[in-house]
């Protein structure tokens, strides 16, 4: 019954973070998914009636066992603002996937379990196993990521202007608790698994600092910048100068944008864009410059507009396209002129 409760609670937590929206760190979503799948495996194992069903349930359990240590390590690194390059993360995940593939060989090869037998006990199905070499690799990786997370946390404790000590203390405690419970289980053979209970507990505890960080993140409070987005026009092109989109204010400044076809070259038949921005954009592209251009202005119907052109870069290196940002600066310029006149007077 406790396994079903933990599984349902993990699903509720998953629904909660999905409802919370895009401000949630992707790693916490992955963590809850892994915990939910693992707890589902414990439910399936308790109800298994033969070896094949038990092995399938065991495969689900190891989704949690193999992937939660690396996910928790990455969460701690993010909280402590320790940057890990994407290529390193990819290698780390690839290694874990290889270990998980070895789990799927249970019952067929002896690289993860040398031997495995099915038994029925009071709480349900149970596997008696003799561990193979890849299980040792699995344990070493688990310990490595746990100690790595604790090490990152300890290193960051004194960086009080960068990270919250409360958050660091919380995740260090949870990380140490997780592996502690697992090791206790291996030393004391209990009739009930403790991992499902403590895995859900771990997620709940980690949600508090993660939700707080997400809520107060500048990147996740886009509504703070709504006024800027509503008062500036943004037009985007790919690197071949195909039109990729614009915001409403840009469409108001350049009505022809509403007629442009997505992912097509800029039409050459008139319009305000071709009059004021086409040639500056072409010159910028021909220059091959990958820095934001110096601002320029143009006048239309007595109003003065300021625009800048810049590159859209992937990982700050690879050119993916270009952007143009346009704003009406008439009031700003008039205000500056009036201040100058007042000073002279």
């Amino acid at each position: 019954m406790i396994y079903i409760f933990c599984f349902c609670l993990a699903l509720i937590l998953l629904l909660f973070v999905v409802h919370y929206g895009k401000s949630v760190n992707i790693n916490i979503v992955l963590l809850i998914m892994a915990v939910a799948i693992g707890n589902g495996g414990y439910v399936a194992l308790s109800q298994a009636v033969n070896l094949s069903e038990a092995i399938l349930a065991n495969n689900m359990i190891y989704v949690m066992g193999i992937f939660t240590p690396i996910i928790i390590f990455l969460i701690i690194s993010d909280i402590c603002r320790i940057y890990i390059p994407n290529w390193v993360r990819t290698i780390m995940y690839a290694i874990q996937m290889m270990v998980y593939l070895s789990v799927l060989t249970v019952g067929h090869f002896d690289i993860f379990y040398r031997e495995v037998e099915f038994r029925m006990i009071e709480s349900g199905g149970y596997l008696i196993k003799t561990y193979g070499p890849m299980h040792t690799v699995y344990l070493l990786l688990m310990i490595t990521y746990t100690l790595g997370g604790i090490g990152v946390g300890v290193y960051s404790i004194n960086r009080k202007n960068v990270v919250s000590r409360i958050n660091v203390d919380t995740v260090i405690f949870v990380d140490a608790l997780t592996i502690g419970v697992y090791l206790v289980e291996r030393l004391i053979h209990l009739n009930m698994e403790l991992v499902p209970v403590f895995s859900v507990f771990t997620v709940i505890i980690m949600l508090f600092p993660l939700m707080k960080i997400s809520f107060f993140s500048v990147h996740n409070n886009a509504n703070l910048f709504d006024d800027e987005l509503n008062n500036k026009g943004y037009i985007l092109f790919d690197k071949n100068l195909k039109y990729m989109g614009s915001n409403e204010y840009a469409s108001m400044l350049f009505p022809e944008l509403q007629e442009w076809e997505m992912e097509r070259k800029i039409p050459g038949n008139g319009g305000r864009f071709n009059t004021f921005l086409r040639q500056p954009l072409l010159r910028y592209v021909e220059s091959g410059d990958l820095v934001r251009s110096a601002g320029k202005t143009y006048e239309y119907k007595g109003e003065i507009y300021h625009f800048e052109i810049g590159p859209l870069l992937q990982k700050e290196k690879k050119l993916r396209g270009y952007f143009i940002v346009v704003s009406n600066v008439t009031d700003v310029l008039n205000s500056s002129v009036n201040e100058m006149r007042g000073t002279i007077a």
Side-chain angles (χ1 to χ4, degrees):
M1 186 67 183
I2 188 66
Y3 299 146
I4 296 176
F5 173 77
C6 292
F7 175 61
C8 292
L9 185 55
L11 292 178
I12 292 172
L13 291 172
L14 182 60
L15 291 174
F16 172 74
V17 296
V18 170
H19 172 74
Y20 201 83
K22 63 182 180 180
S23 61
V24 177
N25 187 307
I26 184 62
N27 285 320
I28 192 64
V29 179
L30 293 175
L31 176 63
I32 298 176
M33 289 179 64
V35 168
I37 294 172
N39 282 329
Y42 279 106
V43 174
L45 180 59
S46 67
Q47 299 178 358
V49 296
N50 56 51
L51 179 61
S52 296
E53 291 183 1
I55 289 176
L56 181 59
N58 193 61
N59 292 343
M60 295 174 61
I61 290 171
Y62 272 101
V63 170
M64 178 170 65
I66 289 175
F67 291 104
T68 53
I70 183 176
I71 295 172
I72 292 176
F73 170 75
L74 293 175
I75 288 174
I76 294 173
S77 298
D78 289 341
I79 289 176
C80 297
R81 298 187 185 181
I82 302 297
Y83 174 69
I84 299 176
N86 286 338
W87 66 269
V88 175
R89 294 177 184 239
T90 302
I91 293 175
M92 291 163 60
Y93 271 114
I95 293 172
Q96 297 304 105
M97 289 177 183
M98 290 177 62
V99 176
Y100 184 71
L101 288 176
S102 72
V103 173
L104 300 182
T105 67
V106 171
H108 303 282
F109 302 98
D110 61 357
I111 59 175
F112 197 83
Y113 290 164
R114 293 188 185 279
E115 297 178 0
V116 59
E117 297 179 13
F118 178 72
R119 292 285 188 273
M120 290 293 296
I121 57 177
E122 184 178 345
S123 58
Y126 182 77
L127 286 176
I128 300 175
K129 53 259 187 181
T130 302
Y131 298 122
M134 285 304 294
H135 189 273
T136 302
V137 174
Y138 154 68
L139 287 177
L140 290 175
L141 288 170
M142 173 188 287
I143 294 171
T144 298
Y145 284 123
T146 301
L147 295 179
I150 294 173
V152 168
V154 171
Y155 166 76
S156 301
I157 283 179
N158 294 325
R159 301 165 66 211
K160 298 178 182 179
N161 61 324
V162 177
V163 297
S164 165
R165 181 161 186 167
I166 296 175
N167 293 340
V168 175
D169 289 344
T170 300
V171 294
I172 288 178
F173 166 75
V174 169
D175 200 20
L177 179 65
T178 301
I179 193 171
V181 169
Y182 179 82
L183 294 176
V184 166
E185 274 196 351
R186 292 297 170 268
L187 295 174
I188 304 174
H189 299 285
L190 302 176
N191 291 332
M192 185 190 75
E193 297 276 359
L194 298 176
V195 170
V197 177
F198 280 89
S199 63
V200 175
F201 174 75
T202 295
V203 170
I204 294 174
I205 295 299
M206 293 195 79
L207 272 177
F208 287 102
L210 289 171
M211 288 298 186
K212 181 171 62 178
I213 291 171
S214 295
F215 182 80
F216 289 102
S217 168
V218 172
H219 301 288
N220 294 331
N221 282 281
N223 58 301
L224 298 176
F225 309 103
D226 283 347
D227 289 341
E228 181 177 351
L229 291 173
N230 291 332
N231 290 288
K232 289 187 178 181
Y234 292 87
I235 311 171
L236 305 180
F237 303 90
D238 71 6
K239 62 181 180 181
N240 296 315
L241 291 186
K242 293 180 180 179
Y243 174 64
M244 301 303 292
S246 58
N247 66 344
E248 292 184 7
Y249 190 72
S251 297
M252 184 188 73
L253 295 177
F254 306 96
E256 66 270 22
L257 294 179
Q258 300 177 42
E259 306 297 327
W260 286 10
E261 188 175 349
M262 295 288 290
E263 298 195 43
R264 295 291 182 182
K265 290 283 189 177
I266 303 170
N269 52 334
R272 299 180 196 173
F273 182 91
N274 284 323
T275 301
F276 301 110
L277 299 182
R278 185 187 183 99
Q279 291 306 314
L281 175 60
L282 293 177
R283 285 194 294 269
Y284 178 84
V285 173
E286 290 173 0
S287 72
D289 205 349
L290 293 182
V291 296
R292 194 161 177 160
S293 69
K296 298 182 179 180
T297 60
Y298 67 87
E299 185 175 348
Y300 180 75
K301 291 187 176 181
E303 300 286 312
I304 301 173
Y305 296 89
H306 176 273
F307 70 90
E308 295 180 23
I309 303 173
L312 294 172
L313 301 177
Q314 183 178 31
K315 299 179 182 177
E316 300 182 354
K317 293 181 180 180
K318 185 177 180 180
L319 179 68
R320 296 300 304 273
Y322 304 94
F323 70 86
I324 302 178
V325 56
V326 188
S327 58
N328 189 326
V329 294
T330 306
D331 292 340
V332 175
L333 292 178
N334 288 339
S335 176
S336 298
V337 170
N338 290 334
E339 288 181 3
M340 291 179 62
R341 288 174 179 173
T343 301
I344 295 173

